[in-house]
Amino acid sequence: MGAAAGKAAEDVAAASTMTRAEYRLAVAEQVILGWHCARSSGADLAGVWDSDATCTNESLLSAVDEVLLLAEIHAFPMASAARRSMQDALDVAVSCLMEEFLRLKVWDASQMEVRLGVRFAVGKFSMPAADSGVSLSLAFPTTGSISTASTIDELYASGGSQSSRVGAVTMLLDGEFFDELDLISPASLSVLHQIALRVIRAGYTKELLHAFTNAPCDVLDRFLTILQMECAFETDHVSFEDAEWWTAEDMIKRWILATKLVAKALAVMQRQLQAQSCGAFDRFKNDYFMAIAKNSIFVLLRFANGFTTTEAPDKLVYVLEMYEALSNATPGLLLLFTEQRVELVSRQVEVVLAKLARALRAMIGGLIARIRTADCPQTTGSAARGVGVHPLTRYAMTCVELLSPHRAALDLILANGAGESVTSLGSLVAVLVTSLERHLEEINPKLSNDDDDAAAAAAASRHLFLATNASYVARRAVDAGVEPLLGDGWAARRGSLIARYVASYVEACWAPVAACLETAGRKPVKVAAKFSSAFDEAYESQVHREIPDPALRDALRKAASEMVVPAYSAYLQNHPKLQKNVRHTAGELDRLLWELFEGEAAERNKLLL
């Protein structure tokens, strides 16, 4: 290129031997090639227009126009050296115009930042809390010990107050807010016209259309920086495993917000661009807009595609939210494209949605397997004594509650089958509950055949444990709103199951106490003493156990009282002389039984008394 520039200078020096057209070409060629060589060598030279769309290099623009004019009037024969030089200069001139186009700031996000008081620089924008509309506030427990899921509201605590962050996002997601902003830089419109006019004259419209694929967009780029993954803009695949320094919630929450903002912004940008008169650029407006829209959508799709390979159940809710966000945004996004362009975008969206659905079905299968085979850790409190709500039960029902708001998406995903006859959210919950109960049966205390008392105690604990967990499942199913999905008879069957567990518990724990009163041929005093001893022993073994469900607690107390108190009262009536010598009256027994299952509260009450 340097040699070419030198040749142009020599041509100028030899102007006396040139035609007027050749001389004009040589002068223009010298300006264009000289500027291009300097820029190629790294020199910081201004282009034709500055960032404010003001022409700052009239000589360069005039040189470009001169070459265009010579080409238009066919100033040189087809096979001549001058014609080849003109064509080379024309190529460089159009390249110069493409650079100018890519440097032009068509879209302006400054008004948006000023109005919101939020900067969208990478690492600076703080995400909203869960109540802003971007949910995912709960996480499935990981593959470690099973425990109750926890909220993660502590994320993004820095970067401004929560109320300001939530308010900013709420405004951004309001289409009217975008409509109130001028997202197009007015000064850029005349430059677009001038560039398009010269490209059309030169016959290089394909080059301009190609340049659209790399066109910057200040508004969309600000939103896409929320993802904080520059690699997503340059690679075809972003893997979750490649970004271990982020949590899945962090990444997907950012992606969901970016997707919503991009969808809102694109709709407004299209309206504003179509409303502008851009002169010669009007014929390119649709192609230009669809190119930048496709670019931003494909960035989001590549990011989402990175989650299609994970099958860990603890990522299920996150990926499900991603699937829903993409499904919800797709209809509006596709409306932005013409019939000729929409098929490509639609096909790519469908591919990512299908891969996400496949990954979600695998995660659901993994969740079922985890419920069936999970290693259950040592626990504390009532669960440690074998009667409380087991962590596996809490885990399973937390999963159900997290999945229940996503019924529509899950029904669509599971309709294609996830194994285990799981074809809907309702069937999934049924399988989870069935798997849970079978697993609980296996991890319960084993009955001893060596010691009758130990066997009775183990049986009582077993039935109390199963009743507690069955009751918890029923209550959480109602809270999650999934009970209607389980069929009309599910609640009744669940009630019958709990009632059987209660009856079995009373039979194992309190029936032996009442049986002490049936000893024939023994003195009433000894019978009463044996009964009192058995009652005290059973009472002490049960009083510190905790049943959190008030309804179940009352049902257990009532059943125990009905087993013991009427029999004891009848025995005292049949032996009136014992009335003054027994340790407890029938009323006192009833009161004691109604103190059962308070756990630590029972001990505190004793201390207060």
Side-chain angles (χ1 to χ4, degrees):
M1 190 67 75
K7 181 180 182 302
E10 294 173 3
D11 289 343
V12 174
S16 59
T17 63
M18 298 179 181
T19 65
R20 179 172 177 78
E22 289 174 335
Y23 177 76
R24 290 166 57 189
L25 173 62
V27 172
E29 188 179 26
Q30 182 181 27
V31 174
I32 295 172
L33 296 182
W35 177 86
H36 185 73
C37 288
R39 284 290 292 269
S40 298
S41 64
D44 187 18
L45 295 180
V48 178
W49 295 278
D50 61 16
S51 58
D52 294 326
T54 301
C55 184
T56 58
N57 197 333
E58 292 283 358
S59 61
L60 179 58
L61 186 60
S62 297
V64 171
D65 287 340
E66 184 76 342
V67 173
L68 287 174
L69 178 60
L70 292 172
E72 284 179 326
I73 64 175
H74 305 288
F76 308 105
M78 288 294 296
S80 66
R83 179 62 177 255
R84 290 192 294 272
S85 295
M86 183 190 70
Q87 189 61 47
D88 290 341
L90 185 61
D91 289 343
V92 176
V94 172
S95 175
C96 169
L97 291 174
M98 295 302 102
E99 286 188 37
E100 293 298 305
F101 169 75
L102 294 176
R103 291 176 59 247
L104 184 62
K105 188 176 181 180
V106 179
W107 304 98
D108 184 8
S110 60
Q111 285 191 33
M112 180 176 64
E113 291 187 338
V114 171
R115 289 279 301 276
L116 292 173
V118 175
R119 288 195 63 210
F120 286 87
V122 173
K124 296 294 184 181
F125 182 75
S126 293
M127 298 293 293
D131 59 356
S132 68
V134 184
S135 56
L136 273 175
S137 61
L138 290 172
F140 275 19
T142 61
T143 54
S145 62
I146 296 173
S147 60
T148 306
S150 58
T151 60
I152 315 180
D153 292 335
E154 293 81 6
L155 289 176
Y156 320 113
S158 61
S161 68
Q162 175 175 308
S163 60
S164 63
R165 298 195 306 273
V166 173
V169 172
T170 301
M171 290 182 66
L172 282 171
L173 294 177
D174 182 0
E176 295 181 0
F177 171 77
F178 278 112
D179 283 331
E180 295 170 359
L181 302 177
D182 292 325
L183 298 178
I184 297 179
S185 176
S188 69
L189 300 178
S190 63
V191 177
L192 288 174
H193 163 69
Q194 294 187 56
I195 291 175
L197 185 63
R198 289 168 172 81
V199 168
I200 293 171
R201 289 172 59 193
Y204 280 70
T205 56
K206 288 184 179 180
E207 284 71 13
L208 180 59
L209 293 174
H210 179 73
F212 291 163
T213 61
N214 298 314
C217 177
D218 188 43
V219 174
L220 296 178
D221 290 347
R222 300 296 178 94
F223 294 149
L224 292 174
T225 58
I226 293 172
L227 298 177
Q228 289 190 339
M229 287 192 73
E230 288 81 356
C231 60
F233 298 86
E234 302 169 359
T235 63
D236 293 331
H237 180 72
V238 182
S239 174
F240 166 72
E241 288 75 10
D242 294 336
E244 294 179 353
W245 59 91
W246 283 348
T247 65
E249 182 190 32
D250 188 357
M251 288 189 290
I252 295 181
K253 185 181 287 187
R254 288 173 181 272
W255 182 91
I256 290 173
L257 179 58
T259 299
K260 291 181 178 181
L261 293 175
V262 167
K264 284 283 187 181
L266 283 173
V268 176
M269 289 166 59
Q270 186 180 48
R271 289 198 299 270
Q272 292 191 7
L273 181 62
Q274 293 299 329
Q276 298 294 332
S277 176
C278 304
F281 192 76
D282 279 345
R283 65 182 284 187
F284 300 108
K285 282 196 300 188
N286 282 335
D287 294 297
Y288 167 64
F289 175 79
M290 284 185 284
I292 61 175
K294 181 173 75 75
N295 286 346
S296 60
I297 292 171
F298 277 26
V299 168
L300 295 170
L301 291 179
R302 288 196 295 271
F303 193 95
N305 190 62
F307 287 84
T308 60
T309 58
T310 182
E311 296 181 357
D314 48 291
K315 307 301 186 298
L316 174 55
V317 171
Y318 304 143
V319 179
L320 182 56
E321 292 250 0
M322 176 175 274
Y323 178 93
E324 287 182 319
L326 182 57
S327 296
N328 294 337
T330 296
L333 292 174
L334 295 182
L335 287 175
L336 302 172
F337 296 90
T338 61
E339 184 177 352
Q340 294 78 9
R341 303 294 182 86
V342 72
E343 183 178 352
L344 173 62
V345 178
S346 176
R347 185 166 60 248
Q348 293 300 316
V349 171
E350 289 173 359
V351 167
V352 174
L353 284 174
K355 292 171 72 174
L356 287 172
R358 185 166 58 249
L360 286 165
R361 287 192 290 270
M363 293 178 201
I364 288 169
L367 174 62
I368 295 171
R370 178 179 292 183
I371 297 297
R372 288 178 173 173
T373 62
D375 292 330
C376 299
Q378 294 295 322
T379 55
T380 59
S382 294
R385 292 187 286 272
V387 301
V389 177
H390 197 278
L392 181 60
T393 306
R394 294 184 187 276
Y395 171 84
M397 296 314 295
T398 295
C399 293
V400 170
E401 286 193 354
L402 289 172
L403 294 174
S404 62
H406 310 287
R407 176 187 175 185
L410 281 170
D411 286 351
L412 180 62
I413 292 167
L414 294 174
N416 293 322
E420 305 288 342
S421 300
V422 176
T423 57
S424 65
L425 174 60
S427 60
L428 172 59
V429 174
V431 168
L432 288 176
V433 171
T434 301
S435 301
L436 169 68
E437 291 177 338
R438 289 174 181 171
H439 197 55
L440 293 179
E441 289 277 355
E442 295 173 359
I443 65 177
N444 259 279
K446 302 301 181 182
L447 300 182
S448 171
N449 294 322
D450 299 329
D451 188 313
D452 291 341
D453 291 339
S461 294
R462 177 184 179 84
H463 296 305
L464 194 58
F465 172 84
L466 294 174
T468 300
N469 284 270
S471 174
Y472 182 84
V473 167
R475 189 171 70 255
R476 290 290 292 271
V478 172
D479 294 342
V482 298
E483 185 184 37
L485 307 180
L486 298 171
D488 295 336
W490 187 84
R493 291 193 300 272
R494 179 68 28 178
S496 298
L497 177 65
I498 295 170
R500 288 198 302 273
Y501 287 143
V502 169
S504 297
Y505 159 76
V506 171
E507 186 66 28
C509 184
W510 297 102
V513 176
C516 293
L517 299 172
E518 299 173 0
T519 304
R522 300 189 64 182
K523 293 182 179 181
V525 173
K526 291 184 177 181
V527 171
K530 182 179 180 181
F531 170 84
S532 294
S533 176
F535 178 87
D536 290 343
E537 182 179 352
Y539 175 81
E540 290 299 327
S541 70
Q542 302 299 306
V543 68
H544 296 297
R545 292 181 167 178
E546 183 175 0
I547 304 298
D549 181 2
L552 177 60
R553 188 166 60 237
D554 288 347
L556 288 164
R557 290 168 172 173
K558 183 174 182 292
S561 178
E562 290 176 349
M563 173 64 72
V564 174
V565 174
Y568 184 60
S569 178
Y571 190 81
L572 292 181
Q573 289 177 3
N574 292 333
H575 301 85
K577 293 181 179 181
L578 292 175
Q579 296 284 352
K580 296 181 180 181
N581 298 320
V582 294
R583 183 172 179 180
H584 300 295
T585 65
E588 289 172 341
L589 288 188
D590 187 61
R591 179 181 59 79
L592 289 171
L593 290 171
W594 280 87
E595 292 176 355
L596 294 175
F597 312 121
E598 293 287 352
E600 295 179 0
E603 187 64 29
R604 290 195 298 268
N605 291 337
K606 278 190 174 183
L607 292 176
L608 291 175
L609 294 175

